[in-house]
Each structure stands twice: as structure tokens, then as C-alpha cells.
Amino acid sequence: MTGGVNGVALAVFALFSLAVTVLGFLAARWRKTSDEHTLDEWGLGGRSFGTWITWFLLGGDVYTAYTFVAVPAAIYAAGAAGFFAVPYTILVYPLIFTFLPRLWSVCHRHGYVTTADFVRGRFGSKGLSLAVAFTGILATMPYIALQLVGIQAVLDVMGVGGGEHTNWFIKDLPLLIAFGVLAAYTYSSGLRAPAMIAFVKDTLIYVVIVVAVIYIPIKLGGFDHIFTQASEKYTAAGAGGLLPPAEGRWTYATLALGSAMAMFMYPHSITATLSSRSREVIRRSTTVMPLYTLMLGLLALLGFMAIAAGVKVTNGQLAIPQLFETMFPSWFAGVAFAAIGIGALVPAAIMSIAAANLFTRNIYKDFIKPDATPEQETRVSKLVSLLVKVGALVFVLTMDKTVAINFQLLGGIWILQTFPALVGGLFTRWFHRWALLAGWAAGMIYGTLAAYSVASPTQPHFGGSSKAIPGIGQTGYIGLTAFVLNVAVTVVLTFVLKAAKAPEGIDSTAPEDYTADAAETEALPASTLRPGTSPAPNPS
């Protein structure tokens, strides 16, 4: 912060924030149906979104405040190693193109709302379904917190809330207000709110990135000067210049691959997927998604620009907001800050809805109140979405914000352990349900303990997400190592359990369910559905 409150930037930020708040509440009337008190309506937007809405919604929950703040901040602090987010978003799209349409089809056919619904139907296991639901909620919490860190970084740079020695309530009051507004319109409008706001969010982000990659280099003397300055800084710091040091390349590759595999295991990504109206919508949306990767590559360059601009911050999360305030006129800095702020609100809303749906369908209904009505499910999901946000808020107000990205990466370690049950289950029924549960437990325990043992200059525990790979000696992403252990345990125990003729559970799905489109969906016999569900309605 350059000193004092940036009044012009704050006014522009407040104007955009007010606009999206109004949109958030108006979204409750958007495509409103007579049967609004169901999870299909509140939690999935009626499963009615077309290609462009789905594309904006997926972009809104995948490219977040983490994208805008933490990725260039990682490059600002560590150099080219921070670019791992670019290759992993390239790797992810061919992957999701193969399995998301299958997931949409079977979920639409059986009325599944969550990934845990599908896992229970596929493997006939409440225990495995509970494990997937628990992991989804656990991994989502630090991800929501990271969005609040993005908002807080913007508020700090604008000078709102006072300095470090200000009373905690006054300092965090703007964040509390933003949280309250987010909670209110999410409770009221459900998934329709972030779907509508995503249009504003992505438009702002594209405008800010295009302006930044043209305007800032002109002011700094061109990209040649920017890269020279960055290279000199990394060389002086012993980081090996613009390229990652040789000893860090295994880490870079495994982190990119593991992150690509984990990206669409998150509940919010699946929630956005299931909100679309047809299988073809999913296919079209995923073919257009690489446009966001182009934007991400340009966004990552802001870390180099912050170095060339002489930005000095003790908290790397402030580097890009500070760059915007330093380089842009105050009014456009306000636009950039609004892009970051709204870029946090949209995914935070989707994440809280997704986590609430998991609790309601796979904990509350399965274990607490099996005879819950659709209205009761919706009411519980709304309340839990508020509790999830409160948990994330407490998390962000008490955590060390300089290492916020490590907490999100820890969530990636956890959520990756649901890959065998979810993606594996979409293509084969060979895995035994108990083996999948044992593999999940092995991956979760190893991944958590390994991450706990990693120290950093600022943290004795959970100081990073990379550690020596057993048997190889190279340092790699803990999540991918845990995933390999998970698969190994699952495969070995599947052979053992099949040989012992252990009960495998009932598969409620049929082969044709995985290729069905909306027009092919008909009423299914009650015996094929999980208790209390019905086939998703045909939006046509």
C-alpha cells in the first residue's frame, strides 16, 4: 500500500461490488420454476444451463482469486516454477473431455446431485460414498479460504481496514461485510447467483488482463527489460534464473500432473458440470475452456512485471494488487481490484453450495434422516452452505496468509484420492468397494502425514506440498505419490477380495446410462434409483 485509502479505486470497487450483489439477489428470479425447493433447483440451477452459461460457470469456479493473486505471486517469489498452473490446465482438458460427459449422463439419468451419490450407486457402498463426501468437504474448506485471502489482499492494498496494529474487528470488518453479502445471496439464489455473476467476473478479468499485458510492459520499457530484471533477481537469489533449477523439475512435472488430475475432482467443478442441460453442452464447453489457459499464461507474466516495477512486499499475495495500484490510474486499479474481488466471490459461492450438497445428500440423508423430503434437503443444504463459509472465514482470519497456496495444495492432495473411485468407476466396475476404501485411506493418511512433515522458513508443518518420492529419491508432489499408493493398495486388495469372494455391492447403473443424453432420459424403475431420488427432469 502506498499510504492512506485509495478513494477512487475504492469507489470503483464498491460500485462493481454493489452491482454484483444486486445481480446475486435478482438471480433468484432467473429461470424460476414452480418446484424451487429441491436441490436440483437450488444446488444445480435446475440442470438447465446451456453452453455459454456452463462455460462461464466452469471458468468462474476453476479460475479464481487464487489464479489472479497466488499464481503470479508464486512466480514473483519463486520464478518460473510458479508456471506449473499453465501446463496443468493444458493437461486437464483432454482428461475431462473423456469422463465428464459420462459423469453427466449417469448423474442425469439417476438424479445424482454429487459425486458421492454416483459412487454409492455404482459400488453400493455407503462407506465409500461417505469417504468421498468427507474428502470433498475437507478439501473445499481451504479453497474457499483462499478466495477470502484474495479479497483481503485487495482490501489491504486499497488501505481499507487499517494497518497491522489496528483492532482486529476494524481491520477485518470489510472482509466480514463481503462474507455476509456472499452468504445472503447464495442462501437466497443458490447456484443461479454465481452463474449470473460469472458473466461480469470473466468479462472484467479478460479486460484487465488484456490491458495489463499491453499497458504495463509499455510503461516498464518492454518485455525484454521485464525478463532481464526478473532473471537478475532470481540469479542473485540463487534460483537459477528464469528456468527452474534442475533439482526442481521433478517437482514441477509431478505438481502439474497431479494438479491436472485433481482439478475436476473438486465438488464445485462437478456441481458446475451437472448444472448443464445436456451431454453435448459439456462437450462443447470443455472444447472452449482452453481459452482460459491462454488468459492464465498471460496472467502469470504479471509476477515478472511486479519484479520489474520494483514492487516490494513482505506478503507475496499482495504483489499483484500492489502492482495494479502502482502502474494503473486509480480508476482502472479499482476495476482490476473488482475483478479480483468478484473472482473470489463466484467460486466461493459455488464451493459452499457444492460442499453443502455433499453434506445434505451423503451425510444427512444417508445417515441422519433417510426419509428427508426434498424441501428438508434444500433447507439443510442452505444452512450448511452458511456454516461452510463461516468455517472458511475463521480459517482465513487465523491462518498465516503468506502460505495460503500451501493450504489449497493440501486440499489437492486430499481430493486426488477420490480419483480411483470416481473416474475409475465411470469406466469399470472391476475395483472392489472395500479395496477402494482402503486405497483412499492409505492415500489420505500418507498424504496428510507427508505434508505435515514438510517445513518452510515460516512454518514448522504443512510448509509445502513436495517431498522426496520413496524409492526414487527425487522430490515430487505428495498428492501424486499418495495417489500411486492409493491405486496400488486398491489393485492388490481387489485381487485378494475377489479371490475371497467378498460381497461386491449392487451396481445401480447400467452401461447405457453412461452415454444417455437429456432427450433419452425417461422415468426409471424405482429399484434403479438411490432412495428418495428421481430421474432428473428433461428440460425440453
Side-chain angles (χ1 to χ4, degrees), residues 80 213 258 272 310 340 361 367 369:
V213 298
I340 299 175
R361 290 298 289 263
F367 295 95
K369 191 174 177 60

Side-chain angles (χ1 to χ4, degrees), residues 37 39 42 187 360 364 373-385:
H37 299 298
L39 285 186
W42 183 81
Y187 186 93
T360 301
Y364 175 74
T373 65
E375 291 81 6
Q376 289 173 326
E377 284 185 348
T378 305
R379 188 182 311 118
V380 169
S381 201
K382 286 182 175 183
L383 292 174
V384 172
S385 74

Side-chain angles (χ1 to χ4, degrees), residues 112 114-125 128-129 132 421-422:
Y112 297 149
T114 68
T115 53
D117 279 352
F118 162 71
V119 167
R120 181 188 174 188
R122 179 61 154 162
F123 296 100
S125 172
L128 185 58
S129 171
V132 171
L422 177 57

Side-chain angles (χ1 to χ4, degrees), residues 48 97 120 260 300 381 420 461 498:
S48 62
F97 192 82
R120 181 188 174 188
S381 201
H461 304 291
K498 284 182 177 292

